[in-house]
Every structure is written in structure tokens, then in C-alpha cells.
Amino acid sequence: LVHLAHCPYNCPHTQPFPRNPAPASTSLLMMIQGQLRSGFGLRRGVERGCPMLPCRPPVSRRVVTRAEPSTGSSGDKEFTSLAPLKPKTPYGEMLQFYLKMQPELFRTAVETQLDRLKSEKEDRDAKRASSATPSDPTNPTQLNQADLALYRRMEEVRAGEMRATLEDLMYVSILEKFVGLGLELLPRMEAFVDAGNINLKALTEGVHSREALELVREHLLGVMGPAAQAQFSSAYIKTSRFQMAQMYAASILFGYFLRRVDSRFQLERVAGTLPEERGDTVARLEKLFSQADAQDLVADESSSTTSKTVSSASETSSKAEPPPSSSSSDAKQEKGVTAADFVSGGDSSSVPASKRKSALRRYVESFDQATMLDTARVVSAEGSQLVERQTGALLGDIKTLTQQVQDVVGRDAKDMQEVMTRMAKAVEKDEIETLTMSVGTQRRAVLEAVAFGSFLREVETHVRDEYGLLTVRSTPLLE
């Protein structure tokens, strides 16, 4: 018989050898070699060595240290609960740690990394501009085709690393804004979702201006449908993961669009260039004429008569509709839209009826199609990637979910009504991935997505204006 297996002690004798003991001289020589190799005595080497050969298991003198994240009193889950999306780069992991454990170092670390990326970009652009054209025959340092392909590939890899780092920096900057409001992003949604307590005031009044809150409320009603009118936030609903992913991504894009529009609106209102409707112009003229008549009467009548006339003129001017460019007038118009109006799902009865549309809504409706599309699209490739990555980390890959729905619903539906009917049946029978959550949790997810889009626009603007690091997208996201 021949011993074919390798020695379980990883000794160097790995060749097949007979099971019968070797001659005494050979066995004694190999035993002495095993002692010298192991550094142990004869008896210990034989007892602990290979049962077939006089050697001992090799003893490693190295000390291996493994670093693990500190879990604290509440475990590792507390550290990773800031967001569902994991960073791509070590810089993102480091900044998330700073944000959670050492927030006083976070902003400095982010700015340092942005400065580093800016310097690298400037150096790369300078080298590209100063280098001669490789196809120039008079260039003595002309590269051959293989070297040129390798050089371009290296540049692509460096650009990809810079973009991944920039995405992580932008993402943790968005997380910083949520942490500043005392909020954490929802964790990945499983089959049953329970978000717990919801700070609606922070997600609404803490993020958006008073003028924008009305549009946020209308968006909430539009995407949630009948569920937004539920009497109790604890009522549970069942929906497909695909529909929830669509709702979340659309809400991020809406928040992005809303922040762009609101910033533009506030700027034009301060500059006094807001477009006015005919009724606004008439109201403004009536107010000016009333004030002029009151001043004329003050000069002609006595003090007692003057006070009555001024009071009457004030009442007359107050009846006129205020112009949209007045900040105080807009504040009165939007006074009824607060965080409390989102608790019942935005029931229209909870907000005072207004005969006029809000100034911000009229401003948006004044856009033509080209302006609307340009304002709605995500400007940078990094921002577009963050929208897709955040949605995928929370609810799953959009492409996979879309393919799953197409396989179940089919492509032969005649109209959208038939598609929705088949979708409802598939959700009821669990033929596709579904989610069960309360109305309050779904409301929080929508408002969180709107806030995420608004913060994304803020961070994107800061990175573009201060560092010029964004990769501008050439095609609009919405067509």
C-alpha cells in the first residue's frame, strides 16, 4: 500500500511513500532532520509529528492582526444605519465614519478631498494641453499604437477612480444634511417595512421654502394616490417593489427639479423680474391709486377726517389681490401649508381654499417645454448615478425589477388600465416582489426622496461652482 495523501501537518514530504517503516538508519536520519527543522526535542517531535514521518507540524511565528470596526454599545448596525448605500471607495468609508463618530472633522475632510481631486484634475489637464499630438510625424516622442492604447486606458481608469471618489464625497455631503436635521435615511426595504416614528416637520419645513411646500404636498397626493387620503397613518398597504422604486426615483427627480426652480424663483423675485399676470398688474395699479387718493385727502381734510379716510383706503387696498412679487403677500398665501398638512396625507380639507394659484406654481407654469425639460434634467453624470444607486440600494436594481414585471404582466396589454389590472393581480398573488408597509412609512419614503433630490442639487451646485469637478451630461434625463 502507498500513502498518497499529503501530510496533514503540511510537512515537505508530499510524495507517495510506502506505509512500511523505512530502514533504521534512514528513519533515524530523517528523525534528526525533523528535529533540526522544528527546533524541538526528539520525543516531542516524534509524538507531535507526522505519524508516517518523524517531523512535526510547522509552527508560524507571525502575529496576524485583523482590524474590525468598533461596534460600541449598540453594535455595528448603529454605525451602518446612516444610509443604505455603501461607498465605492475607502475615502467614502472614512468620511462616513467621521460623520457618525467624529462630526467635527467631517467638513474639513470633505473639503480636503475635494481640493485634492481639483488639483489632480488641473494637473491632468495641464499635461494633456502641454503634450504634443501623438499623430504628429515631427514629434520625437511619438507613441506607437500599443503605448497609446495603454496610455488611454490608464487615463480612463484614473478618471473612473476620480468619479467614484467624487460620487462618494457628494453622497456623504447629502448625508450630512440629513444628520443636521436629526434624520437618518431609510434602511433597505425588505418584504415588511416599519419605519417607526416620522419627523415630518424636519422633512418638510426643515428642507423646503414656504412657497415650495404646496408643490411638495401636491406631488405627495399625485404619487401616493388614494393611499394619501387614508384616515390613519398606521393603515397598511401592499405594493410591488417595482412601483415603490418608481415612486422613490420620481420623487428624487422632483425634489431636484423643485430646488432648481425655487432657487431661480427666489432670485428673480429679489431682482423684481418675475412675470406678472394681468390681474396682478391691475391689483398693483389699484393699490397705487388708492394710496395716492389717501395722500391727497390727508392734505385737504382735518386730522379726524384724515384718519377715517386712510382707514377706508387701507380696507380698499386690502381687498385687492396682492402681486406675486411681494414676499409678505406670498407668505400669507402659503400660510396654511405646514408640516401638519402632511400628517393626514395632504387632505385638501386641511388647507384653506385659495382662489389663486401660488406664485411659485404660476412661475413654473410660465415655462415653455424646452425650459421645463432643461430644468428637470440632472446636470451631472455623478448626480444621475447617485439617483440610480440610492434607489437600487433601497429597493433593488431597477432593470431587474422591470424585467420581472414584464415577464409577469406581459407585453400584449392594450392600454394602461389593463397593465394596472394585471399588476394588481400579480401583487395580490405574490407573483412579483412585494412590500407591505404602513401609509406613514410610504409617506416618509416619498418625502425623504424629495429631500434627497433637493440636497443633491445643493451639493451638486457647490461642487460645480467651487471646484469644477462635475461631468456634465449632454443628454437630458427626461425626454
Side-chain angles (χ1 to χ4, degrees), residues 117-158:
L117 292 180
K118 182 179 180 181
S119 300
E120 291 182 3
K121 183 177 182 297
E122 292 175 350
D123 294 342
R124 187 177 59 181
D125 294 342
K127 290 180 181 179
R128 186 183 296 111
S130 62
S131 61
T133 305
S135 60
D136 186 2
T138 62
N139 180 17
T141 61
Q142 181 178 359
L143 299 175
N144 55 38
Q145 293 298 326
D147 293 339
L148 182 59
L150 179 60
Y151 175 78
R152 289 177 177 173
R153 178 55 183 166
M154 291 172 60
E155 288 295 315
E156 291 176 359
V157 172
R158 292 193 188 99

mmCIF file of all heavy atoms in Angstrom, residues 117-158:
data_model
loop_
_atom_site.group_PDB
_atom_site.id
_atom_site.type_symbol
_atom_site.label_atom_id
_atom_site.label_comp_id
_atom_site.label_asym_id
_atom_site.label_seq_id
_atom_site.Cartn_x
_atom_site.Cartn_y
_atom_site.Cartn_z
ATOM 1 N N LEU A 117 -8.874 66.336 -5.423
ATOM 2 C CA LEU A 117 -9.397 65.991 -6.736
ATOM 3 C C LEU A 117 -9.259 67.149 -7.720
ATOM 4 O O LEU A 117 -8.956 66.939 -8.908
ATOM 5 C CB LEU A 117 -10.874 65.585 -6.617
ATOM 6 C CG LEU A 117 -11.179 64.287 -5.873
ATOM 7 C CD1 LEU A 117 -12.681 64.042 -5.842
ATOM 8 C CD2 LEU A 117 -10.466 63.103 -6.510
ATOM 9 N N LYS A 118 -9.467 68.356 -7.239
ATOM 10 C CA LYS A 118 -9.315 69.518 -8.108
ATOM 11 C C LYS A 118 -7.876 69.665 -8.588
ATOM 12 O O LYS A 118 -7.628 69.941 -9.774
ATOM 13 C CB LYS A 118 -9.763 70.774 -7.364
ATOM 14 C CG LYS A 118 -9.681 72.044 -8.193
ATOM 15 C CD LYS A 118 -10.152 73.250 -7.403
ATOM 16 C CE LYS A 118 -10.061 74.525 -8.234
ATOM 17 N NZ LYS A 118 -10.494 75.715 -7.455
ATOM 18 N N SER A 119 -6.917 69.472 -7.688
ATOM 19 C CA SER A 119 -5.505 69.571 -8.072
ATOM 20 C C SER A 119 -5.130 68.485 -9.076
ATOM 21 O O SER A 119 -4.418 68.747 -10.060
ATOM 22 C CB SER A 119 -4.617 69.460 -6.825
ATOM 23 O OG SER A 119 -4.900 70.488 -5.901
ATOM 24 N N GLU A 120 -5.609 67.263 -8.851
ATOM 25 C CA GLU A 120 -5.323 66.183 -9.790
ATOM 26 C C GLU A 120 -5.920 66.467 -11.164
ATOM 27 O O GLU A 120 -5.295 66.206 -12.194
ATOM 28 C CB GLU A 120 -5.857 64.864 -9.245
ATOM 29 C CG GLU A 120 -5.109 64.343 -8.024
ATOM 30 C CD GLU A 120 -5.655 63.015 -7.546
ATOM 31 O OE1 GLU A 120 -6.576 62.489 -8.217
ATOM 32 O OE2 GLU A 120 -5.167 62.503 -6.524
ATOM 33 N N LYS A 121 -7.123 67.014 -11.179
ATOM 34 C CA LYS A 121 -7.758 67.336 -12.455
ATOM 35 C C LYS A 121 -6.988 68.432 -13.184
ATOM 36 O O LYS A 121 -6.780 68.369 -14.404
ATOM 37 C CB LYS A 121 -9.205 67.771 -12.218
ATOM 38 C CG LYS A 121 -9.991 68.072 -13.488
ATOM 39 C CD LYS A 121 -11.429 68.420 -13.152
ATOM 40 C CE LYS A 121 -12.245 68.672 -14.415
ATOM 41 N NZ LYS A 121 -11.739 69.829 -15.185
ATOM 42 N N GLU A 122 -6.571 69.447 -12.461
ATOM 43 C CA GLU A 122 -5.804 70.522 -13.086
ATOM 44 C C GLU A 122 -4.469 70.019 -13.616
ATOM 45 O O GLU A 122 -4.044 70.411 -14.714
ATOM 46 C CB GLU A 122 -5.598 71.656 -12.082
ATOM 47 C CG GLU A 122 -6.874 72.396 -11.723
ATOM 48 C CD GLU A 122 -6.657 73.436 -10.641
ATOM 49 O OE1 GLU A 122 -5.551 73.432 -10.047
ATOM 50 O OE2 GLU A 122 -7.571 74.239 -10.391
ATOM 51 N N ASP A 123 -3.794 69.166 -12.862
ATOM 52 C CA ASP A 123 -2.515 68.616 -13.334
ATOM 53 C C ASP A 123 -2.710 67.755 -14.579
ATOM 54 O O ASP A 123 -1.919 67.825 -15.531
ATOM 55 C CB ASP A 123 -1.866 67.774 -12.228
ATOM 56 C CG ASP A 123 -1.446 68.622 -11.039
ATOM 57 O OD1 ASP A 123 -1.334 69.856 -11.207
ATOM 58 O OD2 ASP A 123 -1.244 68.054 -9.945
ATOM 59 N N ARG A 124 -3.753 66.971 -14.593
ATOM 60 C CA ARG A 124 -4.006 66.119 -15.749
ATOM 61 C C ARG A 124 -4.345 66.947 -16.978
ATOM 62 O O ARG A 124 -3.878 66.662 -18.088
ATOM 63 C CB ARG A 124 -5.138 65.145 -15.438
ATOM 64 C CG ARG A 124 -5.359 64.096 -16.521
ATOM 65 C CD ARG A 124 -6.437 63.122 -16.115
ATOM 66 N NE ARG A 124 -7.709 63.805 -15.875
ATOM 67 C CZ ARG A 124 -8.823 63.187 -15.491
ATOM 68 N NH1 ARG A 124 -8.796 61.885 -15.279
ATOM 69 N NH2 ARG A 124 -9.928 63.872 -15.301
ATOM 70 N N ASP A 125 -5.152 67.999 -16.792
ATOM 71 C CA ASP A 125 -5.488 68.868 -17.928
ATOM 72 C C ASP A 125 -4.258 69.611 -18.436
ATOM 73 O O ASP A 125 -4.108 69.812 -19.651
ATOM 74 C CB ASP A 125 -6.572 69.865 -17.511
ATOM 75 C CG ASP A 125 -7.901 69.189 -17.202
ATOM 76 O OD1 ASP A 125 -8.079 68.029 -17.636
ATOM 77 O OD2 ASP A 125 -8.739 69.812 -16.522
ATOM 78 N N ALA A 126 -3.391 70.028 -17.509
ATOM 79 C CA ALA A 126 -2.178 70.730 -17.928
ATOM 80 C C ALA A 126 -1.255 69.813 -18.722
ATOM 81 O O ALA A 126 -0.678 70.218 -19.744
ATOM 82 C CB ALA A 126 -1.453 71.281 -16.705
ATOM 83 N N LYS A 127 -1.102 68.565 -18.295
ATOM 84 C CA LYS A 127 -0.260 67.625 -19.030
ATOM 85 C C LYS A 127 -0.849 67.328 -20.401
ATOM 86 O O LYS A 127 -0.118 67.203 -21.392
ATOM 87 C CB LYS A 127 -0.114 66.332 -18.235
ATOM 88 C CG LYS A 127 0.726 66.475 -16.972
ATOM 89 C CD LYS A 127 0.812 65.146 -16.242
ATOM 90 C CE LYS A 127 1.637 65.286 -14.960
ATOM 91 N NZ LYS A 127 1.717 63.998 -14.211
ATOM 92 N N ARG A 128 -2.157 67.216 -20.466
ATOM 93 C CA ARG A 128 -2.794 66.934 -21.750
ATOM 94 C C ARG A 128 -2.622 68.108 -22.710
ATOM 95 O O ARG A 128 -2.433 67.934 -23.920
ATOM 96 C CB ARG A 128 -4.271 66.630 -21.543
ATOM 97 C CG ARG A 128 -4.976 66.188 -22.816
ATOM 98 C CD ARG A 128 -6.463 65.957 -22.604
ATOM 99 N NE ARG A 128 -6.702 64.876 -21.677
ATOM 100 C CZ ARG A 128 -7.214 65.026 -20.464
ATOM 101 N NH1 ARG A 128 -7.523 66.245 -20.026
ATOM 102 N NH2 ARG A 128 -7.414 63.995 -19.686
ATOM 103 N N ALA A 129 -2.693 69.328 -22.158
ATOM 104 C CA ALA A 129 -2.551 70.500 -23.020
ATOM 105 C C ALA A 129 -1.117 70.720 -23.473
ATOM 106 O O ALA A 129 -0.865 71.193 -24.587
ATOM 107 C CB ALA A 129 -3.054 71.737 -22.279
ATOM 108 N N SER A 130 -0.138 70.407 -22.627
ATOM 109 C CA SER A 130 1.267 70.642 -22.952
ATOM 110 C C SER A 130 1.890 69.544 -23.805
ATOM 111 O O SER A 130 2.906 69.761 -24.457
ATOM 112 C CB SER A 130 2.087 70.795 -21.668
ATOM 113 O OG SER A 130 2.024 69.607 -20.892
ATOM 114 N N SER A 131 1.308 68.373 -23.793
ATOM 115 C CA SER A 131 1.873 67.262 -24.563
ATOM 116 C C SER A 131 1.597 67.451 -26.043
ATOM 117 O O SER A 131 0.565 68.002 -26.454
ATOM 118 C CB SER A 131 1.297 65.936 -24.092
ATOM 119 O OG SER A 131 -0.106 65.933 -24.282
ATOM 120 N N ALA A 132 2.529 66.994 -26.869
ATOM 121 C CA ALA A 132 2.370 67.101 -28.325
ATOM 122 C C ALA A 132 1.390 66.062 -28.817
ATOM 123 O O ALA A 132 1.143 65.044 -28.179
ATOM 124 C CB ALA A 132 3.719 66.933 -29.017
ATOM 125 N N THR A 133 0.829 66.300 -29.984
ATOM 126 C CA THR A 133 -0.123 65.371 -30.566
ATOM 127 C C THR A 133 0.585 64.092 -30.983
ATOM 128 O O THR A 133 1.570 64.144 -31.718
ATOM 129 C CB THR A 133 -0.800 66.002 -31.793
ATOM 130 O OG1 THR A 133 -1.381 67.245 -31.401
ATOM 131 C CG2 THR A 133 -1.869 65.076 -32.354
ATOM 132 N N PRO A 134 0.129 62.938 -30.537
ATOM 133 C CA PRO A 134 0.821 61.692 -30.879
ATOM 134 C C PRO A 134 0.894 61.423 -32.376
ATOM 135 O O PRO A 134 1.810 60.794 -32.850
ATOM 136 C CB PRO A 134 0.005 60.619 -30.160
ATOM 137 C CG PRO A 134 -0.714 61.349 -29.081
ATOM 138 C CD PRO A 134 -0.979 62.716 -29.618
ATOM 139 N N SER A 135 -0.069 61.922 -33.151
ATOM 140 C CA SER A 135 -0.073 61.666 -34.591
ATOM 141 C C SER A 135 0.827 62.600 -35.375
ATOM 142 O O SER A 135 0.922 62.495 -36.592
ATOM 143 C CB SER A 135 -1.514 61.764 -35.113
ATOM 144 O OG SER A 135 -2.026 63.067 -34.859
ATOM 145 N N ASP A 136 1.480 63.551 -34.718
ATOM 146 C CA ASP A 136 2.371 64.489 -35.386
ATOM 147 C C ASP A 136 3.647 63.751 -35.801
ATOM 148 O O ASP A 136 4.395 63.254 -34.953
ATOM 149 C CB ASP A 136 2.700 65.647 -34.452
ATOM 150 C CG ASP A 136 3.516 66.727 -35.157
ATOM 151 O OD1 ASP A 136 3.776 66.569 -36.375
ATOM 152 O OD2 ASP A 136 3.896 67.699 -34.488
ATOM 153 N N PRO A 137 3.973 63.691 -37.101
ATOM 154 C CA PRO A 137 5.164 62.936 -37.515
ATOM 155 C C PRO A 137 6.462 63.588 -37.077
ATOM 156 O O PRO A 137 7.489 62.929 -37.009
ATOM 157 C CB PRO A 137 5.042 62.913 -39.046
ATOM 158 C CG PRO A 137 4.181 64.094 -39.375
ATOM 159 C CD PRO A 137 3.236 64.246 -38.242
ATOM 160 N N THR A 138 6.447 64.901 -36.801
ATOM 161 C CA THR A 138 7.660 65.592 -36.360
ATOM 162 C C THR A 138 7.890 65.460 -34.864
ATOM 163 O O THR A 138 8.893 65.956 -34.352
ATOM 164 C CB THR A 138 7.564 67.080 -36.713
ATOM 165 O OG1 THR A 138 6.450 67.659 -36.013
ATOM 166 C CG2 THR A 138 7.367 67.277 -38.210
ATOM 167 N N ASN A 139 6.981 64.806 -34.158
ATOM 168 C CA ASN A 139 7.126 64.662 -32.707
ATOM 169 C C ASN A 139 8.116 63.545 -32.413
ATOM 170 O O ASN A 139 7.870 62.384 -32.753
ATOM 171 C CB ASN A 139 5.759 64.349 -32.082
ATOM 172 C CG ASN A 139 5.847 64.194 -30.574
ATOM 173 O OD1 ASN A 139 6.826 64.624 -29.954
ATOM 174 N ND2 ASN A 139 4.819 63.590 -29.997
ATOM 175 N N PRO A 140 9.269 63.852 -31.751
ATOM 176 C CA PRO A 140 10.249 62.794 -31.491
ATOM 177 C C PRO A 140 9.789 61.786 -30.468
ATOM 178 O O PRO A 140 10.319 60.682 -30.403
ATOM 179 C CB PRO A 140 11.465 63.581 -30.993
ATOM 180 C CG PRO A 140 10.899 64.836 -30.426
ATOM 181 C CD PRO A 140 9.705 65.156 -31.265
ATOM 182 N N THR A 141 8.842 62.157 -29.664
ATOM 183 C CA THR A 141 8.355 61.246 -28.614
ATOM 184 C C THR A 141 7.030 60.607 -29.009
ATOM 185 O O THR A 141 6.176 60.378 -28.172
ATOM 186 C CB THR A 141 8.196 62.019 -27.292
ATOM 187 O OG1 THR A 141 7.241 63.070 -27.492
ATOM 188 C CG2 THR A 141 9.511 62.600 -26.826
ATOM 189 N N GLN A 142 6.869 60.416 -30.294
ATOM 190 C CA GLN A 142 5.606 59.846 -30.775
ATOM 191 C C GLN A 142 5.405 58.437 -30.216
ATOM 192 O O GLN A 142 6.310 57.622 -30.217
ATOM 193 C CB GLN A 142 5.608 59.808 -32.294
ATOM 194 C CG GLN A 142 4.316 59.250 -32.892
ATOM 195 C CD GLN A 142 4.349 59.272 -34.403
ATOM 196 O OE1 GLN A 142 5.341 59.720 -34.975
ATOM 197 N NE2 GLN A 142 3.290 58.780 -35.012
ATOM 198 N N LEU A 143 4.191 58.199 -29.760
ATOM 199 C CA LEU A 143 3.864 56.900 -29.189
ATOM 200 C C LEU A 143 3.371 55.962 -30.272
ATOM 201 O O LEU A 143 2.667 56.378 -31.202
ATOM 202 C CB LEU A 143 2.776 57.065 -28.119
ATOM 203 C CG LEU A 143 3.118 57.946 -26.910
ATOM 204 C CD1 LEU A 143 1.888 58.092 -26.024
ATOM 205 C CD2 LEU A 143 4.276 57.364 -26.122
ATOM 206 N N ASN A 144 3.708 54.700 -30.145
ATOM 207 C CA ASN A 144 3.147 53.727 -31.073
ATOM 208 C C ASN A 144 1.722 53.383 -30.643
ATOM 209 O O ASN A 144 1.240 53.820 -29.609
ATOM 210 C CB ASN A 144 4.023 52.475 -31.135
ATOM 211 C CG ASN A 144 4.237 51.856 -29.751
ATOM 212 O OD1 ASN A 144 3.322 51.842 -28.928
ATOM 213 N ND2 ASN A 144 5.437 51.352 -29.511
ATOM 214 N N GLN A 145 1.077 52.594 -31.442
ATOM 215 C CA GLN A 145 -0.334 52.304 -31.197
ATOM 216 C C GLN A 145 -0.555 51.570 -29.879
ATOM 217 O O GLN A 145 -1.507 51.849 -29.150
ATOM 218 C CB GLN A 145 -0.885 51.481 -32.362
ATOM 219 C CG GLN A 145 -0.946 52.228 -33.682
ATOM 220 C CD GLN A 145 -1.873 53.418 -33.617
ATOM 221 O OE1 GLN A 145 -2.895 53.392 -32.922
ATOM 222 N NE2 GLN A 145 -1.536 54.471 -34.347
ATOM 223 N N ALA A 146 0.326 50.643 -29.537
ATOM 224 C CA ALA A 146 0.164 49.886 -28.297
ATOM 225 C C ALA A 146 0.327 50.787 -27.080
ATOM 226 O O ALA A 146 -0.462 50.726 -26.130
ATOM 227 C CB ALA A 146 1.171 48.739 -28.245
ATOM 228 N N ASP A 147 1.378 51.641 -27.107
ATOM 229 C CA ASP A 147 1.586 52.551 -25.985
ATOM 230 C C ASP A 147 0.460 53.562 -25.866
ATOM 231 O O ASP A 147 0.043 53.924 -24.766
ATOM 232 C CB ASP A 147 2.926 53.277 -26.146
ATOM 233 C CG ASP A 147 4.109 52.335 -26.029
ATOM 234 O OD1 ASP A 147 3.925 51.242 -25.447
ATOM 235 O OD2 ASP A 147 5.199 52.676 -26.527
ATOM 236 N N LEU A 148 -0.031 54.010 -26.999
ATOM 237 C CA LEU A 148 -1.131 54.972 -26.976
ATOM 238 C C LEU A 148 -2.397 54.350 -26.390
ATOM 239 O O LEU A 148 -3.106 54.983 -25.597
ATOM 240 C CB LEU A 148 -1.402 55.474 -28.392
ATOM 241 C CG LEU A 148 -2.499 56.529 -28.541
ATOM 242 C CD1 LEU A 148 -2.167 57.766 -27.726
ATOM 243 C CD2 LEU A 148 -2.704 56.892 -30.014
ATOM 244 N N ALA A 149 -2.692 53.108 -26.772
ATOM 245 C CA ALA A 149 -3.870 52.436 -26.212
ATOM 246 C C ALA A 149 -3.719 52.232 -24.714
ATOM 247 O O ALA A 149 -4.684 52.401 -23.946
ATOM 248 C CB ALA A 149 -4.074 51.089 -26.915
ATOM 249 N N LEU A 150 -2.498 51.877 -24.276
ATOM 250 C CA LEU A 150 -2.268 51.697 -22.850
ATOM 251 C C LEU A 150 -2.408 53.012 -22.096
ATOM 252 O O LEU A 150 -2.992 53.062 -21.005
ATOM 253 C CB LEU A 150 -0.872 51.112 -22.629
ATOM 254 C CG LEU A 150 -0.445 50.888 -21.174
ATOM 255 C CD1 LEU A 150 -1.400 49.916 -20.485
ATOM 256 C CD2 LEU A 150 0.982 50.374 -21.110
ATOM 257 N N TYR A 151 -1.901 54.087 -22.680
ATOM 258 C CA TYR A 151 -1.996 55.395 -22.043
ATOM 259 C C TYR A 151 -3.454 55.822 -21.894
ATOM 260 O O TYR A 151 -3.863 56.326 -20.851
ATOM 261 C CB TYR A 151 -1.225 56.414 -22.882
ATOM 262 C CG TYR A 151 -1.352 57.830 -22.394
ATOM 263 C CD1 TYR A 151 -0.625 58.288 -21.298
ATOM 264 C CD2 TYR A 151 -2.211 58.722 -23.029
ATOM 265 C CE1 TYR A 151 -0.751 59.597 -20.838
ATOM 266 C CE2 TYR A 151 -2.349 60.029 -22.594
ATOM 267 C CZ TYR A 151 -1.611 60.459 -21.502
ATOM 268 O OH TYR A 151 -1.740 61.748 -21.065
ATOM 269 N N ARG A 152 -4.227 55.615 -22.949
ATOM 270 C CA ARG A 152 -5.645 55.987 -22.877
ATOM 271 C C ARG A 152 -6.380 55.141 -21.852
ATOM 272 O O ARG A 152 -7.257 55.646 -21.140
ATOM 273 C CB ARG A 152 -6.276 55.816 -24.259
ATOM 274 C CG ARG A 152 -5.827 56.857 -25.272
ATOM 275 C CD ARG A 152 -6.422 56.582 -26.639
ATOM 276 N NE ARG A 152 -6.048 57.622 -27.596
ATOM 277 C CZ ARG A 152 -6.331 57.563 -28.902
ATOM 278 N NH1 ARG A 152 -6.989 56.512 -29.387
ATOM 279 N NH2 ARG A 152 -5.960 58.541 -29.695
ATOM 280 N N ARG A 153 -6.032 53.875 -21.769
ATOM 281 C CA ARG A 153 -6.685 53.013 -20.785
ATOM 282 C C ARG A 153 -6.352 53.464 -19.366
ATOM 283 O O ARG A 153 -7.209 53.474 -18.481
ATOM 284 C CB ARG A 153 -6.246 51.565 -21.005
ATOM 285 C CG ARG A 153 -6.826 50.582 -20.010
ATOM 286 C CD ARG A 153 -8.332 50.644 -19.965
ATOM 287 N NE ARG A 153 -8.888 49.756 -18.971
ATOM 288 C CZ ARG A 153 -10.142 49.815 -18.547
ATOM 289 N NH1 ARG A 153 -10.966 50.733 -19.043
ATOM 290 N NH2 ARG A 153 -10.584 48.969 -17.647
ATOM 291 N N MET A 154 -5.111 53.861 -19.132
ATOM 292 C CA MET A 154 -4.716 54.363 -17.812
ATOM 293 C C MET A 154 -5.473 55.630 -17.475
ATOM 294 O O MET A 154 -5.913 55.826 -16.323
ATOM 295 C CB MET A 154 -3.213 54.608 -17.792
ATOM 296 C CG MET A 154 -2.367 53.342 -17.851
ATOM 297 S SD MET A 154 -0.608 53.681 -18.068
ATOM 298 C CE MET A 154 -0.271 54.657 -16.601
ATOM 299 N N GLU A 155 -5.674 56.492 -18.451
ATOM 300 C CA GLU A 155 -6.432 57.718 -18.218
ATOM 301 C C GLU A 155 -7.890 57.408 -17.895
ATOM 302 O O GLU A 155 -8.499 58.054 -17.032
ATOM 303 C CB GLU A 155 -6.349 58.622 -19.449
ATOM 304 C CG GLU A 155 -4.988 59.268 -19.652
ATOM 305 C CD GLU A 155 -4.665 60.223 -18.521
ATOM 306 O OE1 GLU A 155 -5.533 61.014 -18.134
ATOM 307 O OE2 GLU A 155 -3.530 60.155 -17.995
ATOM 308 N N GLU A 156 -8.450 56.413 -18.564
ATOM 309 C CA GLU A 156 -9.834 56.028 -18.274
ATOM 310 C C GLU A 156 -9.967 55.486 -16.862
ATOM 311 O O GLU A 156 -10.942 55.783 -16.161
ATOM 312 C CB GLU A 156 -10.295 54.988 -19.293
ATOM 313 C CG GLU A 156 -10.463 55.519 -20.701
ATOM 314 C CD GLU A 156 -10.836 54.426 -21.684
ATOM 315 O OE1 GLU A 156 -10.934 53.252 -21.241
ATOM 316 O OE2 GLU A 156 -11.017 54.724 -22.880
ATOM 317 N N VAL A 157 -8.987 54.695 -16.431
ATOM 318 C CA VAL A 157 -9.038 54.148 -15.081
ATOM 319 C C VAL A 157 -8.924 55.264 -14.046
ATOM 320 O O VAL A 157 -9.664 55.290 -13.048
ATOM 321 C CB VAL A 157 -7.908 53.113 -14.883
ATOM 322 C CG1 VAL A 157 -7.814 52.686 -13.422
ATOM 323 C CG2 VAL A 157 -8.154 51.893 -15.769
ATOM 324 N N ARG A 158 -8.007 56.210 -14.269
ATOM 325 C CA ARG A 158 -7.866 57.327 -13.330
ATOM 326 C C ARG A 158 -9.145 58.163 -13.284
ATOM 327 O O ARG A 158 -9.586 58.581 -12.207
ATOM 328 C CB ARG A 158 -6.689 58.203 -13.746
ATOM 329 C CG ARG A 158 -5.321 57.549 -13.595
ATOM 330 C CD ARG A 158 -4.219 58.588 -13.713
ATOM 331 N NE ARG A 158 -2.907 57.975 -13.762
ATOM 332 C CZ ARG A 158 -2.219 57.765 -14.864
ATOM 333 N NH1 ARG A 158 -2.732 58.112 -16.051
ATOM 334 N NH2 ARG A 158 -1.015 57.211 -14.829
#
